[in-house]
Amino acid sequence: MSDPVEKNLPKTRREKESWDEKFLRRNVMPKTLDGQLTMEKTPSYFVTNEAPKRIHSMAKDIKLIVVVRNPVTRAISDYTQTLSKKPEIPTFEVLAFKNRTLGLIDASWSAIRIGIYALHLENWLQYFPLSQILFVSGERLIVDPAGEMAKVQDFLGLKRVVTEKHFYFNKTKGFPCLKKPEDSSAPRCLGKSKGRTHPRIDPDVIHRLRKFYKPFNMMFYQMTGQDFQWEQEEGDK
């Protein structure tokens, strides 16, 4: 995935080599035995144009899991992660617009573009049927992690081993963590890069972003057959 602060998204030789290196992982992964599933996770796959074709050529029957969240919140989170590494970058408000006076959102900024889920899904549906793709709600993962994990286990044809008893809500982090396994000395939580406090964003900018994403969200709901209720959640009815 390109740096969220970059305004343009050219395919450089370095990016292509990085992409090719990811596919070399298949050769170093342990062999999958009968009764086992092999899983690989890379967030940039969903938004990389070449990914569906290349993955389809490698494994046509693969099952795909995509975690999505409100694209406005996702964009702010993306910016927050970059800000922690590059505190000198422009403000979110500056990066989000081509022309703020005219209210023109800069959809070429990757933090914004990634959240246009319908655009990316269109690419995947050229190679995979919807039945091979599970969309997991990032919001539901926080309020009901066991419920979302039940859907994942069902989708993969697994017995429901992970249940509500395996989670607890970490007030410091602001999201669920896994309880301490019997063979471990501590509970398992996501690292320091997760759960950062978001900077305050101008409410007018958030309102404009909601309006920008709304038609794309509606299209995404129709394509997936799932209503993630991002408009209701944000009060934009």
Side-chain angles (χ1 to χ4, degrees):
M1 185 184 300
S2 59
D3 189 321
V5 178
E6 292 178 0
K7 287 288 192 171
N8 299 308
L9 304 173
K11 296 295 179 185
T12 66
R13 171 179 280 189
R14 180 175 181 134
E15 286 173 336
K16 187 175 188 303
E17 287 173 351
S18 176
W19 171 252
D20 289 339
E21 286 168 3
K22 288 174 183 175
F23 270 85
L24 291 176
R25 291 178 189 168
R26 187 183 187 195
N27 296 324
V28 298
M29 278 183 170
K31 298 295 184 182
T32 303
L33 304 177
D34 289 341
Q36 290 184 327
L37 295 176
T38 297
M39 300 188 72
E40 201 277 338
K41 178 197 75 169
T42 299
S44 59
Y45 285 167
F46 186 59
V47 299
T48 301
N49 289 335
E50 299 89 344
K53 181 178 180 179
R54 298 183 74 167
I55 292 175
H56 185 265
S57 68
M58 181 184 73
K60 295 180 177 59
D61 297 327
I62 196 170
K63 290 189 175 183
L64 305 161
I65 301 173
V66 184
V67 181
V68 292
R69 65 189 298 194
N70 186 306
V72 177
T73 309
R74 201 221 67 79
I76 297 171
S77 177
D78 193 324
Y79 174 80
T80 303
Q81 295 280 18
T82 303
L83 184 65
S84 69
K85 301 172 185 176
K86 300 180 179 181
E88 74 283 358
I89 64 173
T91 65
F92 181 90
E93 289 84 349
V94 168
L95 293 168
F97 289 95
K98 283 184 178 179
N99 185 316
R100 187 169 178 182
T101 303
L102 297 177
L104 298 177
I105 301 295
D106 190 351
S108 70
W109 181 29
S110 61
I112 300 293
R113 185 174 178 80
I114 289 170
I116 309 175
Y117 302 130
L119 175 70
H120 309 303
L121 179 56
E122 221 170 35
N123 193 24
W124 285 89
L125 292 179
Q126 293 181 44
Y127 296 93
F128 296 96
L130 198 60
S131 59
Q132 282 178 231
I133 310 175
L134 176 69
F135 296 92
V136 175
S137 166
E139 288 79 20
R140 294 297 301 170
L141 269 178
I142 294 175
V143 299
D144 182 21
E148 288 302 297
M149 285 305 300
K151 295 176 187 176
V152 170
Q153 291 170 100
D154 291 347
F155 175 69
L156 296 176
L158 301 173
K159 181 181 178 181
R160 289 191 181 183
V161 174
V162 181
T163 63
E164 53 276 344
K165 71 180 182 180
H166 293 95
F167 297 95
Y168 78 97
F169 190 83
N170 186 308
K171 293 181 180 179
T172 303
K173 286 282 189 180
F175 49 73
C177 296
L178 289 171
K179 291 182 179 178
K180 182 178 70 174
E182 293 180 2
D183 59 348
S184 175
S185 59
R188 171 127 181 140
C189 278
L190 294 175
K192 293 180 180 179
S193 65
K194 303 298 182 182
R196 286 194 177 100
T197 300
H198 290 177
R200 183 187 179 280
I201 307 298
D202 186 333
D204 178 64
V205 173
I206 292 177
H207 175 70
R208 288 174 184 268
L209 280 174
R210 289 176 188 165
K211 295 194 70 140
F212 169 78
Y213 279 120
K214 186 170 184 177
F216 296 112
N217 290 345
M218 295 298 105
M219 192 183 305
F220 184 63
Y221 298 167
Q222 186 174 24
M223 293 170 76
T224 61
Q226 293 178 242
D227 183 350
F228 292 91
Q229 301 183 332
W230 291 321
E231 287 66 36
Q232 292 181 32
E233 177 184 313
E234 297 293 350
D236 184 17
K237 298 181 181 180

